[in-house]
Amino acid sequence: MSLLEEISQFLQQGRAKNVKELVQKAIDEGMDAKTILEEGLLAGMSVIGEKFKNNEVYVPDVLIAARAMNAGTEILKPLLAASGVKAVGKVVIGTVKGDLHDIGKNLVRMMMEGKGLEVIDLGVDVPPEKFINAAKEHNAQIIACSALLTTTMGEMKNVVEAAKVAGIRDKVTIMVGGAPVTDSFCKNIGADIYTPDAASAADEAARVCKAS
Ligand code: B1M
């Protein structure tokens, strides 16, 4: 079994300590962070996702796999962040109200930090007013919302509306993403930018901040 397959297997078993050790080993062997992330960690999480859908594994299994995933990505963080030029800008990020999924949001945060952006992470289950208050307090150029559930993605529209009510809609760019979110959904709710993955979210955020 290859090292990446082993990482994927340990992740599926929720063995965070082993995942950490093997991710470190892969780095030491010169493997690049993106490959470890995509072909080791995300590959394992995708198997868990499929099994979860088919009722072959249950919430506790997914939870410990998610912890193992986070343990692995923490080690990759400095490498994923080790890209290029500093952009001056602030982003407020969070997973929307009612939604507890944070792995994708954490990846987006890490990639944005890698672009030199200051990211204020509000965590999960974030109500619209919390996004707005944080954006005002930190004078952020961007509010970035993540959602993983079809039942919570509608909260993004509430964030857009709350920004209008607070009088900051023209001062802040609202970015949306997460598995069920699409470009047409983004347009329908009046948000500004949809990106399908963490890397493109970071690229777009850096572009917006440089232009402002
Ligand atoms: Co949940 N869950 N979950 N879950 N879970 C999904 C999302 C699901 C698709 C599983 C399934 O049925 N196949 C399904 C949603 C169905 C739907 O609505 N369409 C689901 C469900 C139903 C649920 C519960 C309701 C289950 C239950 O209790 N019966 C429950 C809801 C709890 C809640 O939030 N209120 C629940 C709970 C959980 C756990 C807590 C057990 C755990 C989360 C742990 C954690 O995050 N700390 C969990 C997990 C891990 C998953 C799966 C297996 C993996 C999600 C993940 O982290 N993927 C997931 C199935 C799947 O996706 N295959 C599933 C890896 C991550 C890197 O991808 O987050 O998509 P993702 O992020 C991507 C892009 O989407 C993008 O960038 C990332 C990659 O570069 N992206 C952005 C994300 N945010 C972005 C923001 C941007 C731009 C891009 O701009 C701002």
Side-chain angles (χ1 to χ4, degrees):
M1 199 188 295
S2 77
L3 191 49
L4 291 170
E5 281 165 354
E6 274 189 89
I7 291 173
S8 163
Q9 288 292 336
F10 279 134
L11 184 140
Q12 291 169 51
Q13 293 158 14
R15 291 164 68 175
K17 188 167 173 280
N18 299 89
V19 169
K20 269 164 97 169
E21 281 165 8
L22 289 190
V23 167
Q24 189 57 57
K25 189 173 174 207
I27 294 169
D28 294 343
E29 287 182 8
M31 217 176 271
D32 76 288
K34 192 165 174 281
T35 305
I36 302 169
L37 176 67
E38 287 175 359
E39 294 175 32
L41 299 171
L42 287 177
M45 191 46 89
S46 139
V47 175
I48 283 287
E50 213 31 53
K51 287 187 174 170
F52 189 38
K53 194 168 71 185
N54 300 329
N55 291 322
E56 292 167 39
V57 298
Y58 301 97
V59 171
D61 308 294
V62 182
L63 213 43
I64 57 165
R67 280 197 202 121
M69 169 93 195
N70 279 328
T73 48
E74 272 306 310
I75 299 188
L76 291 179
K77 189 175 170 180
L79 297 171
L80 291 170
S83 72
V85 194
K86 296 265 174 205
V88 182
K90 281 190 195 170
V91 182
V92 165
I93 194 168
T95 304
V96 297
K97 186 174 168 188
D99 200 323
L100 303 176
H101 296 85
D102 68 356
I103 296 172
K105 184 263 297 166
N106 293 345
L107 277 176
V108 174
R109 185 196 70 217
M110 281 180 209
M111 301 297 258
M112 286 181 174
E113 286 171 346
K115 293 275 172 189
L117 298 166
E118 183 182 339
V119 185
I120 297 108
D121 188 347
L122 303 177
V124 297
D125 192 18
V126 181
E129 57 277 15
K130 199 168 170 187
F131 280 108
I132 304 307
N133 290 341
K136 281 162 74 177
E137 182 190 338
H138 296 279
N139 206 12
Q141 289 99 324
I142 296 175
I143 293 178
C145 303
S146 177
L148 261 286
L149 299 170
T150 46
T151 50
T152 59
M153 58 197 274
E155 280 295 331
M156 293 172 164
K157 185 169 170 33
N158 297 337
V159 176
V160 175
E161 295 307 321
K164 285 184 195 161
V165 172
I168 60 163
R169 185 64 192 96
D170 57 341
K171 296 189 190 76
V172 73
T173 297
I174 301 183
M175 294 182 64
V176 294
V181 180
T182 61
D183 195 36
S184 66
F185 175 79
C186 170
K187 290 193 175 86
N188 280 339
I189 64 167
D192 300 304
I193 300 173
Y194 159 77
T195 51
D197 55 53
S200 51
D203 286 345
E204 281 296 302
R207 185 185 60 75
V208 167
C209 289
K210 273 180 198 155
S212 70

